Amino acid sequence: MAKKDVIVLNSHGAGQYAYADHMPKWGETLSVKNWYVAEDGGKGTNVAVALGRLGIDTAYIGKVGNDPWGDLGEKWLKEAGADATYMYRTDEVSTGTGLILIGPEGQNTVIDGDSSSIVLKEEEVIQALDNMKGSTFFVTGFEVPMRIALAGAKYAKKLGMLTVLNPSPLPEEPMKKLDYIDYLFINEVEGRYICNEAEDAELEPRRLMEEVQEIYGVGNVIMTLGAEGSTALQGEEFFNIPPVRVEKVVNTAGAGDGFMAAAIANLVWGKTLKEAMEWAGKYAALSVTINGTIPAYRPLDEVNAFIEKYN
Ligand SMILES: Nc1ncnc2c1ncn2[C@@H]1O[C@H](COP(=O)(O)OP(=O)(O)OP(=O)(O)O)[C@@H](O)[C@H]1O
């Protein structure tokens, strides 16, 4: 039986970026500058790699194609020390990938491929969880089908694990109660959407999280506020974690995934939720000073050095 500190069930994918001076017409061969595969993994591999690099015993569950993008995900996981045994493979659909064509004014057109996550089966998730009974945390999100993510969370809870959900991308239909979820991580836009609030509406973060608690029946709601830091409602206890100001913000993509991974790592280390969020805020602040998503998830010694310098 392979017990883990954290099991992550969510997607893997790889975005391809290309810079063009115009949009191609049908039949045209367009030469583009600087075509590259970005190291942004999809929320599953992002979180699993971030946790692995922090030294947390982590396993990934998901499905990728039999193609180079799937191989890349497996390589990232293994290099981070995460277990890729349950990175299932399929010939039916290729690994989720998108072509992001960036124009001369920075405008972009995205061609998004179907992701192999859509053919992940509930039985495969259950089998993986059965083989990892006794694990501590189970983390999921909706870049795999919502039905699969929630079935996984319910089963993990039944096996005695602590469950964490990042319900992103949010489904259009309202969700039912999620009272088998222990920790819900959302950003402010998602918080307002769940509460049916306009993005620029006035509801205070605390009230928003109270409503989210009520709607979903989840006791611990953690809401990230971008450059403004983060905030949480743990039962009735509210806390606000002020932002960490860095000299130069280079790239904030994936900051939310990194923040969640860092907070969970601290919960594994026995810290309180408040302590976990303070550390995660520093971890995420370091990540926004580094270009790329996966490259910005730094190992424990580098994060500690940054925190020492910051203090
Ligand atoms: N400009 C910034 N300066 C310092 N810290 C930041 C900045 N932007 C984000 N962070 C940190 O990262 C955390 C997560 O950011 P954010 O709320 O933007 O998540 P998100 O919207 O889920 O991000 P993404 O979807 O890009 O992963 C914040 O709570 C904060 O701690």
Side-chain angles (χ1 to χ4, degrees):
M1 202 70 66
K3 275 194 229 174
K4 301 287 171 189
D5 291 330
V6 184
I7 300 172
V8 181
L9 164 67
N10 211 341
S11 71
H12 166 67
Q16 300 179 49
Y17 287 72
Y19 290 79
D21 55 15
H22 68 272
M23 280 290 288
K25 296 189 190 67
W26 282 116
E28 178 183 348
T29 299
L30 177 74
S31 291
V32 296
K33 286 176 280 182
N34 194 11
W35 185 315
Y36 66 95
V37 179
E39 289 187 62
D40 51 1
K43 285 179 173 290
T45 29
N46 283 351
V47 172
V49 166
L51 282 161
R53 286 186 184 159
L54 289 176
I56 298 294
D57 191 9
T58 305
Y60 171 83
I61 306 176
K63 187 169 269 187
V64 296
N66 275 315
D67 51 35
W69 316 126
D71 296 345
L72 199 58
E74 191 176 329
K75 177 171 160 271
W76 290 342
L77 288 173
K78 288 184 172 164
E79 281 174 1
D83 186 342
T85 309
Y86 301 104
M87 178 173 248
Y88 294 103
R89 297 276 183 157
T90 177
D91 287 319
E92 283 176 74
V93 191
S94 61
T95 304
T97 183
L99 172 63
I100 299 109
L101 196 62
I102 301 168
E105 314 291 332
Q107 68 274 51
N108 64 65
T109 294
V110 180
I111 304 170
D112 224 350
D114 253 356
S115 157
S116 43
S117 297
I118 59 173
V119 293
L120 179 66
K121 295 191 179 74
E122 190 175 324
E123 309 88 86
E124 292 169 325
V125 174
I126 300 299
Q127 193 198 343
L129 290 173
D130 271 338
N131 290 345
M132 294 187 281
K133 274 184 191 147
S135 296
T136 311
F137 278 91
F138 173 84
V139 187
T140 193
F142 296 155
E143 285 190 354
V144 293
M146 185 170 91
R147 176 179 59 78
I148 304 277
L150 296 182
K154 271 186 205 161
Y155 196 71
K157 185 78 195 160
K158 206 168 115 190
L159 294 178
M161 298 178 205
L162 290 163
T163 53
V164 182
L165 176 67
N166 169 220
S168 169
L170 275 172
E172 281 171 26
E173 298 295 310
M175 278 184 286
K176 298 202 185 94
K177 285 270 187 229
L178 301 170
D179 44 15
Y180 47 91
I181 297 294
D182 295 299
Y183 297 89
L184 188 75
F185 281 76
I186 51 175
N187 64 24
E188 195 176 357
V189 175
E190 289 157 354
R192 297 205 183 280
Y193 187 90
I194 293 167
C195 298
N196 229 342
E197 268 243 317
E199 259 181 50
D200 55 356
E202 293 295 308
L203 214 54
E204 290 290 317
R206 182 179 185 147
R207 283 286 309 131
L208 266 183
M209 289 188 296
E210 279 168 359
E211 281 202 29
V212 172
Q213 250 185 358
E214 173 73 27
I215 293 168
Y216 289 151
V218 177
N220 299 300
V221 177
I222 297 99
M223 191 163 77
T224 60
L225 308 170
E228 298 310 310
S230 63
T231 180
L233 198 58
Q234 182 172 34
E236 288 179 9
E237 196 187 342
F238 169 79
F239 35 83
N240 186 52
I241 309 295
V244 175
R245 304 274 177 217
V246 290
E247 269 168 41
K248 191 160 187 272
V249 176
V250 176
N251 182 346
T252 63
D257 293 343
F259 178 93
M260 181 171 79
I264 295 167
N266 277 267
L267 295 175
V268 169
W269 295 326
K271 304 287 181 194
T272 64
L273 181 60
K274 185 162 183 278
E275 288 165 342
M277 288 170 60
E278 278 162 353
W279 201 91
K282 292 172 188 166
Y283 174 96
L286 169 61
S287 83
V288 303
T289 66
I290 298 164
N291 205 6
T293 299
I294 293 265
Y297 300 144
R298 305 314 303 157
L300 188 56
D301 53 347
E302 277 183 45
V303 182
N304 281 335
F306 172 82
I307 291 175
E308 213 161 285
K309 204 171 107 196
Y310 170 80
N311 285 337

